Amino acid sequence: MSKLSLPKDKIKVVLLEGVHPLAEQAFKKNGYNNIHYLKGTPEPDALKQLLADAHILGIRSRTFVNKEILDSCEKLMAIGTFCIGTNQIDLEKARNHGIPVFNAPFSNTRSVAELVLAEIIFLMRGIPQKNAAAHRGEWQKTAEGSFEIRGKNLGIVGFGHIGSQLGVIAESLGMKVYFYDIENKLPMGNAQHTETLNELLAKVDVLSLHVPSTSVTKNMIGKAQLDKMKPGSLLVNAARGDVVVIEDLIASLDSGHIKGAALDVFPEEPSSNNDPFISQLIKYDQVIITPHIGGSTLEAQVNIAKEVSQKLLKYSNNGSTSSSVNFPQVSLPEIKDNQSRVMHIHKNQPGMLEKVNHIFTIHSMNITALHLQTEGEIGYVIMDVDCNDVDELKSELQEIEGTLRVRVLHG
Ligand code: NAI
C-alpha cells in the first residue's frame, strides 16, 4: 500500500448531507481518521470555515460549491458527489484549482429499470385507475382493457445504461424490445434497433424514455410524436422532465389516444419535500406520478457510497482520476516499493512538460514511468521515480509558473 507524503490522519475528510455511512467506513478502513461527518450541510460561511483546511469533500445535491467556496479552500484536493448530478459544483473552477470531481453516474441504473418495468405492468393492467377508484370506495372488477405484458412491444428511446438494462429485463418477461438511439448501440438479447424515432413510435405498445436532457431531447415527445403512436399506447418517462411536452401529453390523455402514462420527472419539480407539487397531471387517475425516485433505493445508496468513496480513495492513495467529470483521466498502477510518485497539476500551456522534465534531470532522477493527460486548460503529469527523497524536487516543481498543485506519494 502506498504512503502519502501527508500522513493519513492529517488528511481532513469532510462528509456532508448524511452520505451513506459506508463512505465513512471506507475512509476509516483505509486509515483516514480525521473525518468530519455531518447529517446536513452548513450555511455558506460555516461551510467555508469547515473547508478552510479540508482536503477531501463528500456531498450530495444540496451543498453548493461555488467559486467563492473553492477560492477559500486552498487545501481541497478532491470532491465526491454521492449522487448522480454535479450541477451543484462549479466544475470548471474546480478543475482550474486542480480539484477533480467524482460522482456515481450509474449506481442506480438497476433501480430505475426495475421501477419502469413495474410501471409498465401496472399501466398494462389499468392498475393506476383501479387503485385510485378503490381509494374512493369504487369497485372496478373487470378484465376490460387489462393486458399481460408478454408479447407486447416495448419501445426504448436511449439504449444506454438504463435503457439497455430495462430491455434485458423486459425481454426476460416476454416483451418484444425495440430501441432507438442516436449512437450505434449493440443490441442486447433480441432487442432490435430502429433507424428513426418515428419508426419506433409506430411499432410499440409502450414507449419508455431513457435519454439525457440535451437541446435535441428537449420536447422530443410532443403532439406529432404522440399522434404517431398506436391508439391506446402507454408512455413512461423516468429520464428528464423536459423531454415530454406535458400539455401535448394531457391532450392525448384527454382524447384517450394515450391510454396511460408513468412520469417520474417533470419540467418543474419541487426543490424540497416541503414544497408542493403543482401539475395539471394530478387529476389523471391513469397517470402514475412518482417524485423523481426512479433511482432512489437503499441499494443504489450503498452502490453510490462504495463507488464514490473508492474513487476518492484511489485519487488520494494513488493519483488515479478515472471517470472524473472535470479532470484529465488517468488510470495508474500501484506505486512500486521504494519508489515515489510525483503528481504535477498545471495550466495546460506550451513548454510545461519540458520545464518539469528539466527539474527531474537536474536532480538526476531516474523516471520509471510517465503518464500525461490534458483536458481543456489543465494538464496532469505523473512521474514515478526510483527515489524516496523528493522534498527538494517537490518545492522546485511548485515554483514553475502555471503550477496548480504538486502531490507526492511513496511506495
Ligand atoms: P446513458 O448515458 O447511459 O444513456 C443515454 C442514452 O441516450 C445513450 O445511449 C445516448 O446515446 C442516448 N441518446 C442521447 N441523445 C439521444 C437522442 N437525441 N435520441 C436518442 N438517443 C439519445 O444514461 P442512463 O444512465 O441510461 O440515463 C438515462 C436518463 O435517465 C438520463 O436522463 C438520466 O438523467 C435519467 N436518470 C433518471 C433517474 C431517476 O431517478 N428518474 C436516475 C438516473 C438517471
Side-chain angles (χ1 to χ4, degrees):
M1 164 126 6
S2 62
K3 296 187 240 14
L4 302 151
S5 56
L6 193 62
K8 283 182 180 170
D9 57 357
K10 291 269 180 318
I11 295 193
K12 178 172 172 183
V13 181
V14 174
L15 299 175
L16 301 177
E17 301 185 63
V19 301
H20 196 283
L22 271 179
E24 188 180 8
Q25 285 166 28
F27 277 99
K28 284 194 170 150
K29 242 195 220 163
N30 263 269
Y32 292 74
N33 289 311
N34 186 3
I35 301 175
H36 299 246
Y37 184 93
L38 268 72
K39 283 267 171 230
T41 191
E43 292 298 319
D45 280 346
L47 180 64
K48 259 199 240 171
Q49 237 177 328
L50 180 66
L51 297 183
D53 57 348
H55 298 90
I56 296 175
L57 170 64
I59 59 172
R60 291 169 76 167
S61 55
R62 300 222 166 107
T63 305
F64 292 92
V65 185
N66 55 21
K67 175 181 180 310
E68 205 184 324
I69 301 269
L70 287 163
D71 283 342
S72 70
C73 36
E74 264 183 28
K75 294 188 174 163
L76 197 61
M77 65 176 192
I79 304 175
T81 65
F82 287 77
C83 55
I84 313 296
T86 49
N87 296 345
Q88 67 280 44
I89 301 175
D90 185 336
L91 292 177
E92 205 181 317
K93 190 80 196 163
R95 179 175 56 213
N96 294 345
H97 274 58
I99 303 171
V101 175
F102 301 95
N103 67 342
F106 307 119
S107 299
N108 57 10
T109 297
R110 173 73 188 200
S111 305
V112 181
E114 280 191 14
L115 178 71
V116 170
L117 187 86
E119 290 176 333
I120 292 172
I121 295 176
F122 273 17
L123 289 171
M124 278 281 183
R125 298 289 292 267
I127 299 297
Q129 303 88 305
K130 293 185 174 81
N131 174 59
H135 279 275
R136 293 190 292 263
E138 299 164 29
W139 194 245
Q140 292 188 357
K141 181 170 164 53
T142 171
E144 196 63 39
S146 182
F147 302 96
E148 293 182 349
I149 61 163
R150 181 167 45 168
K152 304 299 180 301
N153 291 352
L154 167 63
I156 296 174
V157 186
F159 205 61
H161 287 79
I162 299 172
S164 58
Q165 178 135 178
L166 170 66
V168 169
I169 313 176
E171 204 173 274
S172 75
L173 293 178
M175 296 194 86
K176 289 184 208 140
V177 177
Y178 299 89
F179 68 89
Y180 167 71
D181 199 296
I182 40 164
E183 300 289 338
N184 266 336
K185 294 279 170 164
L186 200 65
M188 298 182 78
N190 294 318
Q192 291 174 35
H193 98 281
T194 62
E195 290 294 336
T196 62
L197 177 60
N198 284 345
E199 197 188 324
L200 185 79
L201 295 170
K203 236 186 222 321
V204 301
D205 303 297
V206 193
L207 187 74
S208 194
L209 309 173
H210 299 288
V211 287
S213 174
T214 66
S215 55
V216 182
T217 62
K218 191 175 164 70
N219 299 335
M220 186 182 205
I221 305 296
K223 180 178 176 352
Q225 291 70 31
L226 294 167
D227 285 352
K228 288 197 174 74
M229 293 172 70
K230 296 191 240 171
S233 300
L234 305 165
L235 176 73
V236 181
N237 183 15
R240 281 295 175 258
D242 59 2
V243 180
V244 175
V245 183
I246 297 294
E247 299 73 43
D248 293 352
L249 172 62
I250 286 176
S252 202
L253 287 165
D254 282 336
S255 73
H257 182 71
I258 293 293
K259 197 174 110 189
L263 303 173
D264 188 44
V265 288
F266 303 87
E268 276 157 40
E269 297 179 6
S271 53
S272 83
N273 285 354
N274 299 323
D275 298 316
F277 172 65
I278 299 162
S279 168
Q280 287 173 284
L281 288 161
I282 56 178
K283 61 175 194 263
Y284 290 84
D285 284 356
Q286 68 272 46
V287 178
I288 301 176
I289 296 176
T290 46
H292 202 149
I293 40 77
S296 306
T297 61
L298 294 181
E299 287 87 347
Q301 292 303 311
V302 167
N303 292 340
I304 288 171
K306 284 187 191 158
E307 186 175 336
V308 179
S309 51
Q310 285 318 315
K311 286 176 181 173
L312 289 169
L313 282 162
K314 198 102 202 262
Y315 179 63
S316 181
N317 290 342
N318 125 327
S320 284
T321 50
S322 304
S323 81
S324 162
V325 295
N326 68 333
F327 217 70
Q329 301 207 14
V330 187
S331 180
L332 299 167
E334 287 295 304
I335 308 165
K336 295 195 181 120
D337 286 347
N338 301 319
Q339 291 205 346
S340 299
R341 175 164 294 166
V342 182
M343 291 156 286
H344 187 260
I345 303 168
H346 52 259
K347 288 187 183 156
N348 186 13
Q349 54 197 31
M352 190 49 96
L353 193 57
E354 198 184 322
K355 287 179 195 159
V356 172
N357 264 329
H358 180 65
I359 292 178
F360 279 81
T361 311
I362 293 173
H363 285 269
S364 310
M365 293 259 177
N366 179 28
I367 298 169
T368 59
L370 165 71
H371 307 264
L372 167 71
Q373 201 61 255
T374 58
E375 187 180 309
E377 293 152 37
I378 288 290
Y380 183 32
V381 61
I382 302 104
M383 309 239 193
D384 287 353
V385 290
D386 263 339
C387 174
N388 263 323
D389 182 12
V390 288
D391 287 353
E392 205 178 314
L393 175 115
K394 184 181 171 190
S395 345
E396 286 172 29
L397 286 172
Q398 267 158 342
E399 294 304 312
I400 299 177
E401 203 210 313
T403 297
L404 295 168
R405 195 177 293 262
V406 183
R407 289 175 64 216
V408 172
L409 298 167
H410 300 290

